[in-house]
Amino acid sequence: MTFSMFKRPRAVGATALCGLFVLGLLLTLVSGAAAAASSVPLGTADSFAVLAGAGITNTGPTTVNGDLGTYPTTTVVGAASITVTGANHGGDAVTQGAKTDLTTAYNTAAGEGPTSPIAADLGGQTLKPGVYNSGSSIGLTGSLTLDAGGDPSAVFVLQAGSSLTTASASTVNLINGAQSCNVFWQVGSSATLGTGSTFRGTILALTSITVTTGVTVDGRVLARNGAVTLDTDTITRPSCATPVATTPTTTTAPATTTAPTTTTAPTTTTAPATTTAPTTTAPAPSAPKPVRHVKAAAAKKTAKAAAAKRSSVRTARTNAGFTG
């Protein structure tokens, strides 16, 4: 009985440790999921750089690179000093459809999560892709850096429970592939961008947006219900760069050039023909005749010569007699 009493606490302890491990694993997975963020679909509001609900007021030369519109209040004050490279839709049907899509986009951005908490002032911070939330306001003094970590599709969603306010000369910097088209600021009331500041991303404000003097916005200023106020600003609707497909480099071994094989016919050395002169066989000398034969022949020859002489004399005499 004593043995079983000691054994049971050990089993309970092992079960408790296993439970703590599983709980820790779940917490790790949940915290990792907080870094995930989805792009906010803007629908027909995507083409707009400036979109308002209660009119637009402008002072000084302002450039809007994208569409401009306002509805249900369709008043645009200072329109003559606004250069619009897109279309000025005023309060037409396109603007009305974009306002409906803006409401959907605002609610989508507000509902993204799980979230990571952020300080009231983002100055001097570097944020990775994800969804960040402040229960009250968001401020920016100095610079904020958004780091995509080499992923050009990385998304940043920053949620402000109330206002967004940036200080004069403040900046939002993008590094390692981060793009303005993938940065979304969901603001629970109104947004104000400080003088001479540089801002990046799309502002989805429930109420109004004020862009003070000399501000550069690489993004959109979209106000659901309130007005948009401009003053000598440049606002450019962002576009996402298409990721470049990387083709793996194939290293081809250099071609080996084989010299053509030359087949040399064996050289046949022909000995010069030797012309053999025909052998001339000289007739063998006759054996000398016996002396008696030589003498007989000579006598016979002498006799023939004498006979010929006598014949010649007779002929001559005959001819002489005939002539006389």
Side-chain angles (χ1 to χ4, degrees):
M1 179 179 294
T2 303
F3 177 75
S4 61
M5 289 177 63
F6 281 103
K7 185 176 181 181
R8 183 174 300 172
R10 290 181 182 178
V12 172
T15 303
L17 288 175
C18 183
L20 289 174
F21 174 77
V22 172
L23 179 60
L25 179 60
L26 290 174
L27 290 174
T28 300
L29 292 175
V30 170
S31 63
S38 300
S39 183
V40 178
L42 298 175
T44 57
D46 181 85
S47 65
F48 284 79
V50 177
L51 185 60
I56 298 170
T57 299
N58 175 67
T59 303
T62 291
T63 300
V64 175
N65 296 309
D67 292 351
L68 177 147
T70 176
Y71 184 82
T73 301
T74 60
T75 305
V76 178
V77 177
S81 58
I82 301 176
T83 300
V84 181
T85 61
N88 185 347
H89 289 286
D92 68 8
V94 176
T95 297
Q96 296 173 36
K99 284 298 300 299
T100 299
D101 290 341
L102 172 56
T103 299
T104 301
Y106 177 91
N107 292 333
T108 299
E112 288 220 20
T115 64
S116 297
I118 50 176
D121 194 316
L122 298 177
Q125 296 192 41
T126 298
L127 300 180
K128 297 292 185 179
V131 183
Y132 298 90
N133 179 271
S134 170
S136 56
S137 62
I138 292 178
L140 174 58
T141 302
S143 63
L144 165 67
T145 300
L146 302 179
D147 182 357
D151 180 7
S153 300
V155 176
F156 301 81
V157 176
L158 298 100
Q159 304 166 338
S162 58
S163 62
L164 166 66
T165 304
T166 68
S168 297
S170 61
T171 61
V172 177
N173 299 316
L174 306 178
I175 64 172
N176 294 327
Q179 302 190 74
S180 296
C181 62
N182 292 323
V183 180
F184 302 91
W185 302 79
Q186 180 264 318
V187 181
S189 59
S190 298
T192 301
L193 304 182
T195 303
S197 60
T198 300
F199 190 84
R200 292 181 171 87
T202 296
I203 300 176
L204 308 166
L206 179 63
T207 312
S208 62
I209 301 174
T210 300
V211 185
T212 59
T213 308
V215 176
T216 299
V217 178
D218 181 13
R220 304 175 182 86
V221 289
L222 312 178
R224 279 185 60 184
N225 302 318
V228 171
T229 302
L230 308 173
D231 183 0
T232 318
D233 306 306
T234 300
I235 303 171
T236 302
R237 169 189 170 273
S239 59
C240 284
T242 304
V244 178
T246 304
T247 304
T249 304
T250 303
T251 304
T252 305
T256 304
T257 304
T258 304
T261 305
T262 304
T263 304
T264 306
T267 304
T268 303
T269 304
T270 305
T274 304
T275 304
T276 305
T279 304
T280 304
T281 304
S286 302
K289 295 180 180 181
V291 176
R292 63 177 179 273
H293 291 293
V294 172
K295 288 182 176 181
K300 187 175 181 178
K301 186 176 181 181
T302 301
K304 284 182 177 181
K309 186 176 181 181
R310 285 194 298 271
S311 176
S312 178
V313 171
R314 281 194 300 268
T315 302
R317 287 177 178 176
T318 299
N319 291 335
F322 178 77
T323 304

